[in-house]
Amino acid sequence: MTLANQTVVTEFILLGFSSLLQLQLLIFLVLLVMYIISLMGNILIIFITIVDPALSSPMYFFLRNLSFLDICFTTVVVPKLLANLLSKNKSISFSGCKVQMFFFFFFGTVECFLLAAMAYDRYVAIYNPLRYTLVMNRRMCTQIILASWISGIPVGITQISWLFSFPFCGPSEVHHFFCDGPPLLELVCADTYLFEMYSLTATIIIILSPFVLILASYTCIIYTVMKMKSAEGRHKAFSTCSSHLIVVTLMYGTGSLIYIRPKSSYSPDTKRFLSLSYTVITPMLNPLIYSLRNNEMKGTLRRILDRKISFW
C-alpha cells in the first residue's frame, strides 16, 4: 500500500471482548468486583504499613511501593476496559492510546525491577541478618526505589516514540482491550523488523535481568536456609519468602508467555485472557497473598479493627 492510499488513523477501536457479546455484562461485573478488591486491598496495605511503626522495616517499605504501583498499573487499563464493555463506542484517541501504552510499559518495567529489589532485600535479611539494618538502610532503600521507578521512563518513551513513528493503515481495530505493542504492530504498514528485534531484545532484558537477580537471590537464600540447624528457623525463613515467590511466579509466568513467545503462538482470545492475569488478577491477589500469609500484618489489622469496634 502506497502512502497516498493509506488511511490516516486518528483513533483506534479496542475490540476487547467484542466476540463474547452475550457475556459483556457478566465480564463487566466480574472485572469491576476484581478491580474494587484490588484497589481496596492495596490501599489497605499502604494504610497498615504507614500507621503501624512496627511495620517500618525495608520489607514493608518495598511492599508499600508495590501496592501503590499495582494501583497505578491496573488503573491504566481497567477503567477504560470497563467503559468499553458497557459502551458501543470502543474507540480510544491516537494520543490517548500513546499515553496508555507509555504508562503500561512504564509501570510494568518498574514492577519487574521492584520485585527484584524485594528479592534482594530477603536475601540480605536471611544471608546476613546481623548487618541487615546497616546494608538496607533508609538511604539504600530510597535509592533502590528511585532506580526502579526511573528504569521505566526510557522503556516507555522508546516504545511509544518508535512505534508511533510508523504509518498506521486502516482498519484501526486493535484486537486487544488496551493499547499494547504486539496488536498495534499488526496495524503498521511499514517494515517493522528492526523495531521487532529491539522490542524482543528490550523485553528479554527487562524480564530476564530482574529475574536473574531474583533467581540468584533465592539460590543463596535456599543455600543459607538449608544450613540452618533449627527446623523452626528454616520454616520462618521460607515463610518470609513464600509470598514474594508466589507474586513473582504470577507476574513473570504470564508476562513471559505473552511477550517472549512468538506472535503466532496463541490466538487473540487466549492472549487477551492471559493479559487479564497480570493486568487485573495479579494486582488483586498481591494484597491477599501478602496479608493472609503475614502474621504481623494480620495482627496490625486485627488491632485496628478491635479499636474501631471498641470505639463504636
Side-chain angles (χ1 to χ4, degrees), residues 2-292:
T2 62
L3 290 174
N5 295 327
Q6 290 174 6
T7 302
V8 178
V9 175
T10 58
E11 63 179 19
F12 296 99
I13 308 298
L14 298 175
L15 295 180
F17 299 97
S18 299
S19 59
L20 305 173
L21 194 59
Q22 295 181 341
L23 299 176
Q24 296 277 296
L25 181 58
L26 177 61
I27 295 174
F28 170 83
L29 293 174
V30 171
L31 293 180
L32 177 62
V33 170
M34 294 174 70
Y35 181 53
I36 292 173
I37 292 174
S38 176
L39 290 180
M40 292 180 63
N42 283 296
I43 290 173
L44 183 62
I45 283 184
I46 294 172
F47 174 74
I48 290 175
T49 55
I50 289 177
V51 299
D52 190 350
L55 303 181
S56 59
S57 67
M59 181 177 74
Y60 295 107
F61 175 69
F62 290 127
L63 179 57
R64 184 160 61 245
N65 275 270
L66 179 65
S67 292
F68 176 73
L69 182 62
D70 279 339
I71 292 172
C72 298
F73 186 62
T74 192
T75 301
V76 168
V77 174
V78 177
K80 181 62 177 176
L81 170 57
L82 293 174
N84 285 351
L85 285 169
L86 294 182
S87 173
K88 292 183 179 179
N89 180 15
K90 303 181 186 300
S91 65
I92 183 171
S93 67
F94 196 82
S95 58
C97 189
K98 290 174 68 174
V99 171
Q100 186 184 56
M101 186 174 170
F102 167 79
F103 282 109
F104 172 77
F105 280 105
F106 171 70
F107 291 129
T109 302
V110 175
E111 181 144 357
C112 287
F113 284 97
L114 183 55
L115 289 174
M118 295 174 75
Y120 177 72
D121 171 71
R122 292 298 84 208
Y123 156 72
V124 176
I126 294 173
Y127 184 75
N128 201 345
L130 296 179
R131 300 187 70 245
Y132 175 66
T133 55
L134 182 63
V135 175
M136 300 301 293
N137 55 59
R138 181 174 294 274
R139 181 179 178 182
M140 179 67 170
C141 292
T142 303
Q143 289 175 343
I144 291 175
I145 289 298
L146 286 175
S148 298
W149 282 90
I150 291 172
S151 67
I153 297 175
V155 175
I157 290 177
T158 305
Q159 284 282 345
I160 65 165
S161 60
W162 195 349
L163 179 56
F164 283 89
S165 68
F166 290 117
F168 288 90
C169 305
S172 57
E173 295 178 341
V174 180
H175 291 274
H176 212 342
F177 56 83
F178 69 96
C179 289
D180 196 6
L184 280 174
L185 204 59
E186 297 174 3
L187 306 180
V188 172
C189 46
D191 183 8
T192 60
Y193 176 78
L194 287 178
F195 175 79
E196 289 181 52
M197 290 300 99
Y198 154 77
S199 185
L200 179 61
T201 303
T203 301
I204 292 174
I205 292 173
I206 292 167
I207 291 179
L208 290 188
S209 294
F211 184 74
V212 168
L213 179 57
I214 292 170
L215 192 62
S217 297
Y218 277 104
T219 300
C220 295
I221 288 171
I222 293 171
Y223 176 75
T224 304
V225 171
M226 295 308 295
K227 291 197 304 181
M228 293 180 178
K229 296 180 180 180
S230 169
E232 183 181 351
R234 287 196 300 269
H235 174 74
K236 184 177 180 181
F238 278 128
S239 65
T240 62
C241 302
S242 58
S243 299
H244 182 258
L245 276 174
I246 294 172
V247 171
V248 168
T249 303
L250 289 171
M251 180 71 179
Y252 278 89
T254 55
S256 60
L257 288 175
I258 291 291
Y259 295 103
I260 292 183
R261 291 182 66 98
K263 291 188 292 183
S264 59
S265 297
Y266 303 104
S267 67
D269 286 336
T270 303
K271 289 182 178 180
R272 282 192 284 270
F273 280 104
L274 282 173
S275 298
L276 280 177
S277 63
Y278 58 81
T279 56
V280 183
I281 298 175
T282 301
M284 179 193 69
L285 292 179
N286 281 356
L288 297 176
I289 292 170
Y290 278 107
S291 60
L292 293 178

Side-chain angles (χ1 to χ4, degrees), residues 287-302:
L288 297 176
I289 292 170
Y290 278 107
S291 60
L292 293 178
R293 299 180 63 88
N294 188 298
N295 291 328
E296 291 178 322
M297 291 195 65
K298 286 190 290 186
T300 300
L301 181 59
R302 195 177 297 114

